Amino acid sequence: TAMTRAMIVTVLARFEGVDTTTGDTWYEAGQQWAMQNGVSDGSNMDASLTREQLVTMFYRYAQSKGYDTTQGGMAVREFSDSASISDWAQEPWRGRSTRRCSPARGTASWSPQGTATRAEVAQMLMNFVEHVG
């Protein structure tokens, strides 16, 4: 199943201990938390989450926690579809913390504009907890 922007901000807010049961919408508390912490701009919450958006949100979350986000790990150019990563997502894709918890689809490609699934997000969150946080 596809993950939405609303889902990821709610997951990250809950992970951070935020009570997400308040607000006019089911995701409002997560949306507000994400905006206050620089994880998301809070827009387009019902849209499907792309992998490059997912990596960017994890990168921004890692920054907000003071984790190491310097360049490191495998070079992005090693993936066959690295040229399709948007300019705004280049730095997050190179960040050490996001590389260690990446939703890699094997070593050949990342499909950055593809829709992130709930399973990929769960794997990335698990990797983040084990290797970054």
Side-chain angles (χ1 to χ4, degrees):
T1 303
M3 191 83 168
T4 66
R5 292 170 56 91
M7 289 175 186
I8 189 62
V9 297
T10 301
V11 165
L12 289 174
R14 286 180 183 166
F15 182 67
E16 199 54 26
V18 174
D19 177 6
T20 59
T21 62
T22 62
D24 292 335
T25 62
W26 64 268
Y27 58 79
E28 185 176 345
Q31 179 184 31
Q32 292 301 318
W33 171 86
M35 291 168 54
Q36 291 169 355
N37 289 281
V39 172
S40 171
D41 64 5
S43 66
N44 213 9
M45 290 285 103
D46 292 324
S48 292
L49 181 70
T50 67
R51 288 185 195 90
E52 67 184 359
Q53 290 169 341
L54 173 63
V55 167
T56 299
M57 287 184 188
F58 266 94
Y59 177 79
R60 290 176 181 166
Y61 176 70
Q63 285 182 315
S64 77
K65 299 294 288 178
Y67 298 146
D68 184 5
T69 58
T70 57
Q71 279 191 17
M74 183 183 282
V76 172
R77 68 182 176 282
E78 291 181 27
F79 293 98
S80 61
D81 56 358
S82 63
S84 65
I85 299 170
S86 298
D87 289 342
W88 54 265
Q90 289 289 325
E91 184 177 335
W93 280 77
R94 289 189 297 263
R96 180 178 311 278
S97 57
T98 48
R99 301 298 292 172
R100 296 172 93 187
C101 62
S102 71
R105 304 174 62 78
T107 57
S109 71
W110 282 66
S111 190
Q113 268 110 50
T115 301
T117 66
R118 291 170 60 166
E120 288 170 328
V121 173
Q123 181 67 56
M124 188 169 181
L125 183 59
M126 185 180 77
N127 292 347
F128 187 87
V129 170
E130 290 179 356
H131 303 291
V132 179

